[in-house]
Structures are given as C-alpha cells and as structure tokens.
Amino acid sequence: MLLPRPASRPLDLNGLPAASRLEARAALAITAIATAWFALAAAWEMFGPILAGHYASSASVGIIAENMLRWKIAGPVWEYTASQPPPEMYYCHHPWGIFWTTAAFMKVFGRHDVICRLPAVLLSAATPPLLHAIGRSVYRPAAGAAAAASFVVLPITLSFANFNALEVPVMAWTLLGLWGYVRMTQTSRRRYLAASALGLALGMNADWPAFVLTGGLLVFGAIRAYLLPKRVFGPVHARRYAQWWVLTAFLAALTVALYVALFHHAGKLGDLLGSYGLRSSGNAEPLSKVLASRRYWIELSFTPVAIAAGKLAALVCAARLVLLRREHDALPLLYLATATVQYVVFRQGADIHIFWPHYFGAYFALAGAALVETAAALIERAAAARRAPGNAAPIERAAAGRAPDDAARPAPAAWPAPGALPAWPALAALALWLAPLAAVLRDGLPALRYARETGGRFNERGHLIDSDGAKTAFLRWLAPRLPAGAPVEMHEGMKATWAQVWALGGRVVTPARPAPKQEPPRGAYLVDTRFMLDRDQASLARRFDIKAVGPFWALGAAVDAQAAVDPRAPGIEAFSFREREPGLLAWYLVSGTEPEREIAPDPFLTWELRAHFGQPAEPPAGAPETLEEKRIAHNIALAAGDGARAAALLAEISAALAPVGARFDDGTELLGTTFHEGARSLLTIFVRAGGPAASDVALTVRSRVVERAPLSTTMADPIYRDVGLPTAISPQRWRAGFLYADPVPIRKRPGTEVFWASLRARDRGRAPALVDRGGASEVEVLRLR
C-alpha cells in the first residue's frame, strides 16, 4: 500500500525541490555518463553511406530535403524528377516537420550522408538531459538520473537513436514540452510556458502521436484546473495556467488546420485517411493473439526485465496519482497512453515495423523516475520506523517547511518531507534501479550492433536480409562516371530503395523496368544478377557490352560513353571489390558493420564471366594470389585440359578450407568453407559442381538460434532465417568439375546460431539430396556463439 500524501518538499533558490549536494552531484554524473554514451551510440557510423532496411527511409528524408531546395517547394517529394514536381506528388501521410528540418540542415551544410542522420543524432543526444530535467523537477535529482539512465539502455532506443524519421523528434520535442509544463506549474514563469508550447508544437509537426500526448495533457489540464476541487491537486496560478492551456490548444488546432489545408491543396486527404485505415487493419484479431505473435520483437526491443518494470511502474504511477494527488505523476501515464495508441490501434504498422513501439522508451524513462522516487520514500520511511520516537521531531519540522500551496494541508507525520531526506535513501533507490538496468543493457549492446547490421530490420520474420553495402559501393563508383543528367533504370532484381537512389547523387531513377529488348537504354540500366533469371542474363550478355562489378551489371549508352576514357574490348569487362577492415576512426565514424571497399579491374572474373556466357575469354597473364583468384585459375586450367595444374590448385584451395565433404546425388560437392570475422563477417562456401543444376535449384543457406545468449533475459529467436544470397552465376550455368564460391554475409543474431547449407528447389521439382549424410537435405556449415 502506498503512503499517505506527503507535503510538498521545500524549494531551493531556483524553485526546484531541495536536495543534498551529494545527491545532486551523483545524479548529474550519472546523467552525464548516460548522455555521453547515448550520443556516442547515436553518432556511430553517422558519416557512412546509408544502406538498406528501415534505415533507408533516412535517405528518403534527404531526397525530400534536396527536392525542397532544388525546386523551392514546401511539400515533400521523395523521388527525383526532371522538372518541378506538382503538389499531387507530395507525401501527405505525416506532418512535414522532419523534412523542413533536414532541408534547413542541408541548406547550411550541403548534400552529405551525415545530413540524413544529424538531426536525429542531435535530438537523441538532447533526450537524456531532458528526461533528467523532468525527473529532477517532478521528484528529485536521483529520479532524474534514473530517467536518463533508463532511456539509454533499452535496445529499441539504442537501435534507432540515429533514425531520422518520426519517433526520435517526437520524443525529444514533446519531452521539452513536458519539462516546460512542469516548470511552468511550479514557478508560473512565462519562459517555461513558452518552452512547453514550443516543444509540443514542434512535436506535433513531427508526427501524429504528439497530438495524442498533447490532447491528453490538455484534457488532464482542464480537469485538474477547472473541474476538480482545488484541494485535490492544490491551487494553481490561474492566469498563467489558462494562458498555457489556451496557447497550447490554439497551436494544436492551428497545426491541424495547416495540414488539412496543405493536404487538401495536394488532393491527398483521402490518401491520408486510406493510409491510416490500412495501418489500423487487423484490429479484428484478439489483442492477446497479436501480442503473442510479436513476442520476440517485443522482448528484443525492451527485454523482459524492462517489460516487467514498466508494468509495475504503471500501477505505481496510477496509485501515486490517486493517493498522493501529485499532478505530475500523470505524465508517465499520458506517455504510456500515447505509446499504447500508436502500438495497438495501428496494428498493421506494428506488424511490419519493429520500431513502432519506440514511444514506450520515453514512458519507461519517466516511469523509472517515479519508481526511484517511491523507493527512496519507502526506504526512508522504513528507516524512520526503526528510529526512536523522539527522532520524529525533525521530520515534523521539515514538513512545516512545505510550499505555500500546501499551507492548508496537514502533513502526515509518518511521511518524511522529501526535501529533508538525506542523500543515502535516494542514492540507495537509484542503485537498486541501476541493477536491472544493467541487465537490460546486457541485451541492448548486441541489439545495437544487430540493428546496424540489418538496417533496423533485425530478423525480418525470417526473410532474406542484405545490407546493400556492396551494391551501394557499386552505385557510388558508377555515379560520377555517368554523364550529367543521364537517367538510370533498374531491373527489379536491384530491389531499389531510397538509399540506392540517394547513392546515385540526385539522378532520376526508374525502378522495376524489364530488360531492354533491342537498343541499349539512353542512360544506364543496372542489374543485380543474383536476382535475375539466367536466360535474361544470357540475353543481355549476348546483345550488349557490360561492365560487371561483382554481381552487379551496368549497361547502356551512358555506360558505353566511358569507353573514351576507359578503353576496353567489347563484351563483359569485370571489376571486383577489394575489401579491407576499417581502422578505428573509420569503424566509428563511417562503418563498423561493413568493410572498406575499393573497386578494381579483375581479369580473372572477366575470364569467368566471358567463359560462362559464351564470349571470347583470354586467361589472365598474372599468377593467382587470392583464394578467389586460385579458384578461377583452377577452372581456367580445367577448361584448358591441364589436369595437373587443376589438381595442384584444388589441393592448395582445399588446404585453406574448413572441410565439409558433403556430396549431393547430382554430383555437386560442398568442399569446405572459410570464415572471416570482422566488421561484416563473411562465410564463403566452396562448391565443386556436378554439372548444370535443374532450372529451379539454388544453393541456399539458412540459420536458427538454438540457445539464447549467456546472461540474456531475452528469448532465443525461434525463426528459421534465410541468410544466403543467390550465387552471381546461376547453378543452371555451372560446369562439371568447376569450383564456385558462395559468399554469405553473416549478421549474427544474439545467442548460439547454427547455419546450414543445401541445394533446394525454389518453386517446383526435386532438390538434390545429400547422399553421404544419411539422406539429409542440408549440412551444418557454421556455428557461432
């Protein structure tokens, strides 16, 4: 049972609840550490290229900002156009505040990758101090430190700290608004009224959930100030409170009217309503069933420890509000309501976007402050109960120093006035709270890396995930080599994203075009051969000159124009990625989850592609150095009939492999693997082909987590996940006895993860079976703990 309502604590010269110097200094130290840590986490890779996944939407914000500046328009258009886009192209599903902010940054600093992340990084860095300020103002310094520390350990807040989308600015701006509200009610000063109105208004211009929070605060404020008797929450400065209420309500109404007018002008009001009808679909399912289907995502985002603490805190905050009648105990509950509306009402959005419950992070932080405040009071009361009865006098004297608003209220002698508490109960409560936060951080750290490796997608419900790191390097290499203004078309296998469009430097990009039939495209036509039918690859190779960079092909008139500065023979000319591990500075600022890449001519790959697509192929003059070059040199020797040379190279290659020795009934063998652990770990599977595979057979790799990580409280991911990308040369084009390599980027999930390889029929027909593994269909090729 909670304690009776206490007297308000004495205030210091700044109008804040009084506290000991030790508590204040300790709280500031913890907040400074939390802020520094969160800022460092948000700034990790901030100068690097934007890759695939949910993070690619940050590139869309950059595209919109560039269009705003280029065409001098106020509305967001997230594709490049050759002429000024009409209002009908405006994106009208969300308010436009984040787009205007990014455009302002781009106007000052220019077009750079970092601009797509910088607003989010700065706002994330400001969020822990804002949480500390709210906790300090509402409760005490230790509670403020608890709020800051709670926010910076959650996996979801760490994973999306640099995500320049909607949640980060909404939380930062609305927390500014709540801090201003708290200080305004405590001091009645105009500057805090202005801070509250500004923060809430900026939040409402960032996304719609800010309207839910603002509306809840206005409703609560109206009930608190004008409907309930003053004895419930105490009197307020009526004039100042009314000014705050009217100004905030006016700004909310004005913001709604602004976007209704803008969206109506663009003819998109119906589109907006349709999008939110789609986002809220699935509401017929029972909530318990929906939450059960999302269990792993929820635990991965918050951990069971934080989930349990959040549930407890909701009960504590509600009880404090009812029994202690402190109005600011409503703030965590208002944020909980906002997050719940976002997550429960718009179910389809939550089923697709793992970051949908991000707002619960702000609730958890505010709730942590309330828990520490309550625990500190309970600790002091327990200590007071053990003291001699004569020692109660100091407590009663402290209660007599309560604030003027509480002058008429009797202060229960059993409750020590919080301002008179010594530092140790608050610090003890804070220490007790930091212990479970350490358990949360244990899962937050690997989740941060896991998020960056997958572009914020995590397990993507088992679907194949590719970072597009190599593809982005290819596009950045190609873009300056194309004539200015040359349009770019992409085959659907490129799986075009905003990040790819951004990487091409502002060019007009047309995705999902079919392969050209006769004449080469006027600009450039780009292909990812791993996701293109073999017959279509053969058609392109037969009719056009091609530049191949790894599995990516570029062709077209704009590509052919390079011949003046890059002479070559007709046909396929191949380049390869030269990868190396980033140095410490590059690992932090540019990319800690991808290698550094250079693109260089590759005569070995040129021979391999030409040989497989029926073009004249000259063997390279130089000796092979890398394992990949030795693989192709083995095939060259085999094609030339040099059996002794091929056998020597095969023996040299086999010695460098971890043996697998699996053979399928079509004659194909998995010889062995190599595994490179680094910024982007890479498993490479070496295969000796038994001959061309059936038309629907492919080499696949999938994985499953078989045991959760040590000391982790989060459940093991139960989903089988496809991790292997299709081979650049289709198995239908393999030659008997040739060696092929399948590079598989490894983005390890938390826990012990096992990887299996197999030859599988994707659509129909019979897949080859392993004949030396008891008829099993797949073989283990890697196990990581």
Side-chain angles (χ1 to χ4, degrees), residues 2 139 150 305-321 329-334 336 360 362-374 433:
L2 282 179
Y139 302 116
S150 300
V305 173
I307 294 168
K311 292 177 180 178
L312 173 63
L315 298 175
V316 170
C317 290
R320 287 181 62 93
L321 182 64
D329 282 319
L331 299 184
L333 298 175
L334 289 173
L336 175 61
F360 284 105
Y363 157 70
F364 180 72
L366 296 173
L371 287 177
V372 167
E373 164 73 2
T374 304
W433 180 240

Side-chain angles (χ1 to χ4, degrees), residues 731-750:
Q732 288 75 57
R733 197 166 287 275
W734 286 357
R735 298 185 181 182
F738 272 31
L739 300 183
Y740 298 91
D742 181 18
V744 182
I746 299 298
R747 299 173 178 91
K748 183 182 174 300
R749 292 179 278 182

